[in-house]
Amino acid sequence: MRLRVACAALVALPTLAAAGLGAQAHLARRGPRPEPIDLDLDGRFGPAAGDPLRTVWLGDSTAASIGATERSSAVSSRVAARLGAIRGRPVEVHNLARSGATTDDVLVEQVPSLADVAAVDIVFVSVGANDTLQFVGRSRFAANYRLVSAALPPGATVVMLGVPDIGSVPRLGRPLRDIVGWRGDVMNSVVGQLAAELGHTYVDIAAHTRAVGAASGIGALVRPDEPTDQFHPTDTGYGVWADAIIEVVEAEDIGT
């Protein structure tokens, strides 16, 4: 009898552990959040005159810049303003990203909205953190991403942002932080491989933020005076993201 109970317990352990981690991830996603701010991310940035570069952002809360305190601090705004200054032309932003989105959501909810955008020169895609936290399988994640890529406007340059460094998110406790950090790295490698396979541009956000954090000593890229939910980047963090994106955009002459 005791042997049967022990065996049953051993069989149940993986299921119980998975359930526990899932509950921990759910609580982390539903934890404290910044006060809702209507950043109104659509608009024109950079020089007033000239033929505009038309950009679209797809993805999750990072593409929507949850955690930023003002419109100019959002990653899409920063990239547009700097890209406009570099290329000497205005940059239009259409931001379709939504907090909590997975690759499923981008495919089903955001990609169809591209039909409402007259023309698109550059598409920025930042998604994968929620797939990681919801334990979406690697093959499904890759398949969804391929479908998203196939549905994007022909001729548009596609910039794929890698999965961020989820293992550094302070709100996540251990062992969840270690597990999703590892899974995030795996999913990030999928994004890099897909970008190479599909001929798109890849920005390794996780590697860049780790390097900056290690050099600056600011860890999760927040200053002591910045409001934070311990989950999303802050104004400082989104500035670091924009640096990484612009570095790659300049190196590959995107938007010329």
Side-chain angles (χ1 to χ4, degrees), residues 82-236:
R82 291 176 61 181
L83 182 57
I86 292 167
R87 301 302 180 216
R89 55 193 296 198
V91 176
E92 291 180 356
V93 173
H94 297 276
N95 198 313
L96 303 174
R98 180 181 63 78
S99 180
T102 63
T103 48
D104 276 319
D105 299 317
V106 171
L107 184 62
V108 174
E109 299 173 6
Q110 297 177 30
V111 167
S113 296
L114 284 169
D116 299 328
V117 182
V120 181
D121 297 307
I122 307 171
V123 179
F124 294 92
V125 185
S126 179
V127 68
N130 293 301
D131 294 79
T132 301
L133 287 169
Q134 295 180 29
F135 295 93
V136 173
R138 176 175 176 165
S139 59
R140 178 179 165 189
F141 176 71
N144 283 347
Y145 223 128
R146 283 194 179 89
L147 290 172
V148 169
S149 174
L152 298 180
T157 299
V158 180
V159 180
M160 297 166 57
L161 278 59
V163 177
D165 180 18
I166 306 176
S168 69
V169 173
R171 193 197 293 176
L172 299 178
R174 288 193 162 86
L176 178 63
R177 188 192 302 182
D178 300 317
I179 293 170
V180 297
W182 170 76
R183 288 198 80 249
D185 288 343
V186 171
M187 301 294 240
N188 185 37
S189 69
V190 172
V191 178
Q193 292 163 10
L194 286 174
E197 173 190 325
L198 301 171
H200 298 328
T201 296
Y202 168 64
V203 181
D204 192 346
I205 290 292
H208 190 88
T209 56
R210 282 174 184 148
V212 172
S216 65
I218 58 176
L221 305 173
V222 296
R223 296 194 313 263
D225 60 328
E226 287 184 313
T228 175
D229 63 358
Q230 300 294 307
F231 193 78
H232 296 95
T234 61
D235 292 342
T236 297

Side-chain angles (χ1 to χ4, degrees), residues 50-68:
D51 183 31
L53 272 170
R54 293 149 300 203
T55 69
V56 170
W57 285 73
L58 305 175
D60 55 29
S61 57
T62 54
S65 288
I66 301 298

Side-chain angles (χ1 to χ4, degrees), residues 9-87:
L10 287 173
V11 170
L13 276 176
T15 301
L16 291 172
L21 291 172
Q24 193 176 0
H26 177 71
L27 288 173
R29 290 196 303 273
R30 293 176 58 86
R33 290 179 179 270
E35 287 297 319
I37 301 174
D38 184 6
L39 297 178
D40 189 20
L41 298 179
D42 289 0
R44 182 174 286 204
F45 299 81
D51 183 31
L53 272 170
R54 293 149 300 203
T55 69
V56 170
W57 285 73
L58 305 175
D60 55 29
S61 57
T62 54
S65 288
I66 301 298
T69 60
E70 56 187 5
R71 182 178 188 245
S72 62
S73 297
V75 65
S76 57
S77 302
R78 290 176 186 265
V79 169
R82 291 176 61 181
L83 182 57
I86 292 167
R87 301 302 180 216

